[in-house]
Amino acid sequence: EGGISDRLDELTAQLSKLEHYCEQTDESLVGQLANLGDKLREAQTTLAASTKMQIDSESQAALRGRQHAELKKEYTNTMTQCCSEQNEARSEICALTKIRGELYKMEGHKVFITDCAVSDWVVADCSRSCEGGTRQLRRTITVAPNGGRACPPLTATETCNTQKCPIDCRLGMWSGWSSC
């Protein structure tokens, strides 16, 4: 009977150790599950926020695409109208030049009529490298007018380099840690 009692005590001690081990393992696993649950909720929150941001971005991109298409259509229509008006103006100038010549012939004038013609603009350097300067534009007369259209202005001024000046970053020596 002594052997059975010793064996019973031994098995009871092992059972007690196993129960303690199981309780510790159970507590550890429950803690890990709770921690993983918290991380899952954080990840789901981040996913939801990111999904919302993506949907908003896609919505903005679609809106910008529609705006771009509308502006492109408006630009094309405006350019077509502008070209048409330029062509009409050139035709009108040509017709008026012919009419002017015929009127002079009818009055008996034998004048060779020429309109003023000027060179392309020659652009000078800007007065400032940033934050707004001015520059002069000049052109010269290539054909002097003779009873025809007068010359347009030969000089002009325009603004230039309107961008902000860069700010040079100057760093000092490293110092010790500051207080929070």
Side-chain angles (χ1 to χ4, degrees):
E1 204 177 285
I4 293 178
S5 176
D6 289 340
R7 182 72 179 142
L8 178 63
D9 290 342
E10 185 181 311
L11 289 175
T12 303
Q14 284 181 356
L15 181 61
S16 176
K17 284 182 184 178
L18 281 175
E19 285 177 346
H20 181 69
Y21 174 76
C22 286
E23 287 174 6
Q24 286 180 336
T25 303
D26 186 50
E27 286 176 13
S28 174
L29 291 175
V30 167
Q32 289 177 18
L33 283 174
N35 187 26
L36 290 173
D38 291 344
K39 286 183 180 182
L40 175 63
R41 282 186 287 284
E42 288 175 17
Q44 288 172 332
T45 301
T46 302
L47 176 63
S50 297
T51 302
K52 181 187 181 316
M53 206 174 352
Q54 179 183 5
I55 290 169
D56 291 346
S57 296
E58 288 172 354
S59 177
Q60 283 294 320
L63 175 64
R64 297 278 189 252
R66 288 190 300 274
Q67 289 173 339
H68 178 265
E70 290 172 12
L71 288 173
K72 184 177 179 183
K73 182 179 178 183
E74 182 180 341
Y75 171 79
T76 301
N77 290 341
T78 302
M79 289 304 294
T80 301
Q81 181 181 355
C82 181
C83 287
S84 176
E85 289 174 3
Q86 279 183 342
N87 289 338
E88 288 174 14
R90 285 186 183 120
S91 295
E92 190 171 326
I93 288 171
C94 182
L96 289 173
T97 303
K98 286 182 181 180
I99 291 171
R100 180 180 61 190
E102 292 299 319
L103 287 173
Y104 275 123
K105 279 183 187 177
M106 288 172 56
E107 290 179 0
H109 296 287
K110 295 195 177 191
V111 178
F112 178 69
I113 299 171
T114 56
D115 291 329
C116 181
V118 294
S119 66
D120 290 335
W121 288 109
V122 175
V123 181
D125 290 336
C126 190
S127 62
R128 295 193 58 174
S129 62
C130 56
E131 293 190 6
T134 57
R135 63 177 162 211
Q136 297 295 317
L137 292 89
R138 299 187 187 286
R139 57 185 170 187
T140 58
I141 297 173
T142 57
V143 176
N146 183 12
R149 186 177 36 177
C151 292
L154 300 176
T155 60
T157 303
E158 69 179 7
T159 58
C160 53
N161 295 337
T162 57
Q163 75 279 3
K164 289 192 177 284
C165 290
I167 298 172
D168 291 332
C169 178
R170 292 197 175 116
L171 301 175
M173 296 296 294
W174 285 98
S175 62
W177 290 98
S178 63
S179 61
C180 291

